[in-house]
Amino acid sequence: MADPQRATLDTVEDTENLGRALAADLRAGDLVVLDGPLGAGKTALTRGIAAGLGVAGRVSSPTFIIARAHRPGTRPDGSAGPALVHVDAYRLAGDLDELDALDLDTDLQHAVVVVEWGRGVVEHLTERHLRVQLAREPESDVRTAVWEWVG
């Protein structure tokens, strides 16, 4: 595996653009685990991933419904993109029964699955996953991202 990559993200648009760039390498079956505190940019990064995959529909935080499925669309390069399943594991609080009820292992066969607050919760679903650690500078909109494929 390659060394972790890092970026400073000065704006929300920078965070979304990183998501678009990461999406270029994502395929159905890939798991993306997002970690970071509130306001670090997890949903903004997911919006960028969705745009890079070309999925249909508005991407917003799935906090209250836990998971949102987005239909496949056309990537910016014109190729067919996979579906996206966007999960917020914050409310699951480590409840493996509720996580299992989401049936994410089935989703992984046909979609890219992005899990906010997923570190330590969903990694067992695949042999490898893309881990993205986000942080936000105090009293600032500047964010940092560190990402790497693990497994």
Side-chain angles (χ1 to χ4, degrees):
M1 295 287 146
D3 290 333
Q5 297 184 54
R6 302 172 193 281
T8 299
L9 310 166
D10 295 321
T11 65
V12 172
E13 292 78 19
D14 290 340
T15 304
E16 291 173 351
N17 287 336
L18 174 60
R20 284 182 188 87
L22 293 174
D25 294 326
L26 296 175
R27 304 288 176 260
D30 286 337
L31 174 65
V32 181
V33 178
L34 304 181
D35 194 33
L38 286 171
K42 295 179 293 295
T43 300
L45 186 71
T46 304
R47 277 196 308 269
I49 290 171
L53 295 176
V55 301
R58 183 173 149 287
V59 173
S60 59
S61 178
T63 299
F64 297 107
I65 62 165
I66 301 177
R68 292 184 193 272
H70 298 273
R71 294 184 318 272
T74 304
R75 291 178 185 258
D77 67 4
S79 66
L84 171 71
V85 176
H86 182 197
V87 178
D88 186 328
Y90 183 78
R91 288 193 19 212
L92 298 179
D95 184 342
L96 296 180
D97 289 335
E98 194 167 351
L99 177 65
D100 194 44
L102 291 175
D103 209 17
L104 294 178
D105 49 346
T106 300
D107 289 330
L108 274 165
Q109 296 175 23
H110 309 288
V112 170
V113 175
V114 176
V115 183
E116 296 186 24
W117 303 97
R119 191 169 188 176
V121 179
V122 297
E123 293 93 338
H124 69 279
L125 295 173
T126 61
E127 290 183 16
R128 74 178 197 124
H129 63 278
L130 179 62
R131 180 174 53 212
V132 183
Q133 177 69 45
L134 294 159
R136 183 174 181 178
E137 299 295 323
E139 309 298 322
S140 170
D141 286 335
V142 175
R143 292 162 173 83
T144 57
V146 178
W147 65 97
E148 67 181 323
W149 284 97
V150 178

